[in-house]
Structures are given as structure tokens and as C-alpha cells.
Amino acid sequence: GAVVSQHPSRVICKSGTSVKIECRSLDFQATTMFWYRQFPKKSLMLMATSNEGSKATYEQGVEKDKFLINHASLTLSTLTVTSAHPEDSSFYICSARGTSGRDQETQYFGPGTRLLVL
Amino acid sequence: DAKTTQPNSMESNEEEPVHLPCNHSTISGTDYIHWYRQLPSQGPEYVIHGLTSNVNNRMASLAIAEDRKSSTLILHRATLRDAAVYYCILSRYTGNQFYFGTGTSLTVIP
């Protein structure tokens, strides 16, 4: 149980294009999902908290117009990197908070999406 | 946000127990203690979490100090597949946001 998937696993795009990354909770409903980014040999950095049916809450320094987050259902959140540039190249990881028992106390992570902007 | 402090790296021999320490002296009463591990180019994998009492599961044990200012992740018998970066994270139940530190890179020696 508590499986989170991401799609695509890797994407290469040209500078100036927009890229959408999907995050799905496969066997549980997630009212709260989180988005992180990770640069090579660095730790994960929280970008935003996404609550189903409401606007995402962004961490300080994260551009909300650059990184659009939608959490339209209890099993799906999307991150759109708009007008991507090479500096947006990174490993993007989502997680979902469980909704029952001890699962509510923690998060389950997806496998990550590698974005390369040329 | 309460911070955690972990050693940058540790080594262990295969098939021996490993004790990974974490200091969190500014922990509040409602903060949960979580442990995750991450392999290169993969998302973090849940290991264990707890609030006040020690916890055991099939992967590991979590020993929490009585004052909760430190904790130890115990891998009972290290295997080569346990080599990873281990993160100790605190979170509040209400928000549940995770702020990752630098973690401990565990090397398992055959």
C-alpha cells in the first residue's frame, strides 16, 4: 500500500516550453501532496504544499507563476514548469500524505521526474 | 522549523548492526520524527517514524531519547542494499511539511 507514481520519469524539453509533471496516489486518497526539487548531490527542497480543491501554498523563494500546481482530485496533483529554462533542470519529486491511521502522520514519495531543459 | 543534525557519513560492515544518530534539540511536543532513505536518482523511501515511544517495523527500529532531543535509527543487520543517504526529519502533524537536512550517507562494506 501507499504507492505514489510520477509521470513522466524523465523529460527533455527546449528552453521556453512548458512541462507538466503528474503525481498520483495509486492505492490511497491524498488530501495533501507536496512538491520538492533536488539538485545533484544536494538534499530535497520543499517547493509547495498542495491541498485538494484549494490553492497551493508555496515556500518562500519559489515563484508560483513559474511552478503552477493543481490538485484537482484526491489522487492527482500536477506541477507545470512554465517557460522552462536551463536553470529549471532538476529532479522533481512529489509526495502524498496518507489519510488513515499512522499514514496520516507521514508522507509517501514518488520515484521522481528528471527534467532537462536545453 | 525544528532542525536535525546528522553525521555526514558513516560506514558499517555487512551483516552487522548500524546505529544512525540524529540530534533534534529544538523539537517541540507535537513534532513527529521520520526516517527516510534515498538511493541516487530515486525518491525517498519511508523507513520508520514515531512520536514518543520506540518503534519497530520490518525494516528498522527507532529509538527515541526520553527527552526527545535525539533519536537513533537502528538497522539490525546491514546489507549492501542498505547503502543510501538516510534522512532524519521532523514534522508537525497539522502541516506535515518536511524540511530535509543533509542526511547521513551510509556505506556498507562487504
Side-chain angles (χ1 to χ4, degrees):
Chain A
V3 178
V4 177
S5 70
Q6 284 184 240
H7 178 80
S9 58
R10 60 181 63 191
V11 57
I12 301 173
C13 69
K14 293 181 178 180
S15 186
T17 61
S18 294
V19 175
K20 180 184 283 189
I21 303 169
E22 292 185 350
C23 176
R24 293 181 184 273
S25 56
L26 297 185
D27 51 0
F28 67 103
Q29 293 184 328
T31 54
T32 305
M33 289 183 168
F34 304 88
W35 287 94
Y36 299 80
R37 66 188 300 183
Q38 185 176 32
F39 291 108
K41 299 194 183 300
K42 298 293 184 182
S43 189
L44 281 77
M45 184 188 77
L46 178 65
M47 299 175 67
T49 301
S50 168
N51 289 300
E52 186 265 337
S54 63
K55 290 184 178 181
T57 302
Y58 291 81
E59 294 295 307
Q60 191 171 6
V62 177
E63 300 175 62
K64 59 181 179 182
D65 295 330
K66 175 76 168 175
F67 300 100
L68 301 179
I69 292 171
N70 184 277
H71 191 163
S73 79
L74 289 173
T75 59
L76 173 65
S77 177
T78 60
L79 169 68
T80 301
V81 183
T82 62
S83 186
H85 288 96
E87 58 265 30
D88 298 322
S89 299
S90 188
F91 192 47
Y92 291 88
I93 308 169
C94 73
S95 70
R97 181 180 184 180
T99 53
S100 63
R102 279 175 57 81
D103 287 348
Q104 295 180 80
E105 301 164 357
T106 192
Q107 296 179 25
Y108 298 96
F109 286 81
T113 296
R114 178 77 59 192
L115 170 64
L116 177 61
V117 185
L118 302 177
Chain B
D1 309 307
K3 290 186 177 180
T4 61
T5 304
Q6 300 177 251
N8 287 333
S9 62
M10 290 185 64
E11 286 186 350
S12 173
N13 293 319
E14 194 176 11
E15 299 187 4
E16 288 188 357
V18 184
H19 290 232
L20 296 165
C22 181
N23 286 320
H24 29 79
S25 58
T26 59
I27 191 171
S28 77
T30 57
D31 285 344
Y32 284 84
I33 303 163
H34 307 262
W35 283 85
Y36 287 78
R37 66 185 186 184
Q38 186 182 28
L39 294 172
S41 296
Q42 294 187 23
E45 177 188 22
Y46 171 80
V47 178
I48 202 165
H49 80 281
L51 183 60
T52 56
S53 303
N54 294 342
V55 183
N56 299 298
N57 65 22
R58 62 177 180 80
M59 288 182 70
S61 294
L62 174 60
I64 301 173
E66 198 168 331
D67 63 5
R68 301 211 323 128
K69 294 186 176 182
S70 65
S71 62
T72 302
L73 178 69
I74 303 166
L75 306 179
H76 297 286
R77 198 163 160 268
T79 69
L80 297 179
R81 290 186 298 176
D82 291 323
V85 176
Y86 285 78
Y87 293 102
C88 167
I89 306 159
L90 302 183
S91 76
R92 300 268 160 89
Y93 178 83
T94 49
N96 199 238
Q97 279 82 10
F98 283 8
Y99 297 98
F100 282 74
T102 53
T104 296
S105 179
L106 175 66
T107 300
V108 179
I109 302 168

